[in-house]
Amino acid sequence: MSLFGSLGISGSGIDAAQTWLNTVAGNIANMNDTSPTDQATYGEQTPVFVPTATPGQVGDGVTVAGIQEGDTTGIIQFDPTNPQADAKGEVRVPDVQLSSQMVDMIQAQTDFQANTAALADAKTAYQSALTLGT
Amino acid sequence: MIPAIPPIQPLPPTPAGGATAGSGGGFSQSISQAVDQVQQSQNTASMAEAQAAAGQGSVTDAMIKATQASLETQVTVALVDKGVAAFTDIMNMQF
């Protein structure tokens, strides 16, 4: 670990929160997708966070292990005016709930802010260490 | 009986490099290494900032690297100040 380890740890947390915000934005953007009923639709994306840990030691923060893709079955919706509609006038739409995405977004934002606050406090602590003995 | 006073030994010759190569070498060497490292982190920070400005790489990464370079500079400056203060204290010593 380098001299300023906590800066890197907080940085990895900020990166993870940014990834989370990106997936939420992608989910909201694709909320109104449609696809033919014989095809899969957009699956809700969720990032998977795992610790960058060495056993028995202070870790190096968090990494995004991957993006989990949710159910691509979606919901069958009646929309006969859609050009993708089948003979019964049905299309497949993603199973993405705006309310849960908004809650996820608030959580991701708080995650980002918490990591930023931890970074700022670490910086203040390092600076106050330099004033020792003066 | 009082023993005879031994003759005075001649002083050893002064080393060729003078004070810089002798006792002062440790401090100046470590400070110059620290300054080199500070320079390296500032280069890293500059590269990260250029990448962030060009749309590649993240802004947070650039800011963190800049913070790290700034802190490293502060540490080095504080150490140099302490060392110079110690030297000045000894130079001002009254005999």
Side-chain angles (χ1 to χ4, degrees):
Chain A
M1 180 167 295
S2 67
L3 182 57
F4 305 112
S6 57
L7 295 187
I9 294 175
S10 294
S12 74
I14 290 176
D15 281 347
Q18 182 70 63
T19 311
W20 195 0
L21 280 169
N22 289 351
T23 58
V24 168
N27 289 342
I28 293 176
N30 284 292
M31 206 172 56
N32 296 314
D33 289 5
T34 53
S35 57
T37 45
D38 57 351
Q39 285 177 21
T41 184
Y42 178 82
E44 182 183 323
Q45 291 187 334
T46 324
V48 181
F49 300 132
V50 293
T52 320
T54 323
Q57 289 186 344
V58 179
D60 283 334
V62 64
T63 41
V64 183
I67 308 288
Q68 198 182 28
E69 198 171 16
D71 189 16
T72 55
T73 314
I75 301 166
I76 303 290
Q77 211 171 51
F78 184 65
D79 187 5
T81 57
N82 195 308
Q84 288 176 319
D86 61 5
K88 289 189 281 182
E90 288 172 336
V91 289
R92 199 180 288 280
V93 295
D95 186 12
V96 177
Q97 307 300 321
L98 181 60
S99 50
S100 61
Q101 290 306 313
M102 296 304 278
V103 172
D104 273 6
M105 190 166 70
I106 294 168
Q107 273 186 289
Q109 188 191 9
T110 314
D111 187 8
F112 195 105
Q113 285 171 337
N115 280 294
T116 315
L119 197 149
D121 273 11
K123 186 191 165 194
T124 316
Y126 285 131
Q127 278 174 332
S128 74
L130 292 180
T131 64
L132 279 172
T134 56
Chain B
M1 178 188 165
I2 300 169
I5 298 171
I8 298 170
Q9 296 290 324
L11 283 172
T14 319
T20 44
S23 57
F27 181 68
S28 72
Q29 203 177 345
S30 32
I31 290 302
S32 92
Q33 276 174 3
V35 168
D36 282 351
Q37 201 177 342
V38 164
Q39 184 63 51
Q40 209 174 345
S41 358
Q42 282 177 351
N43 289 346
T44 316
S46 304
M47 274 170 58
E49 278 163 26
Q51 279 187 338
Q56 306 158 339
S58 70
V59 177
T60 51
D61 188 45
M63 290 306 288
I64 287 168
K65 289 204 165 100
T67 307
Q68 196 163 338
S70 153
L71 281 173
E72 275 180 26
T73 315
Q74 286 174 24
V75 170
T76 310
V77 168
L79 290 177
V80 170
D81 284 353
K82 285 282 178 196
V84 171
F87 174 77
T88 316
D89 281 350
I90 291 169
M91 283 299 282
N92 292 335
M93 208 183 261
Q94 300 293 320
F95 295 103

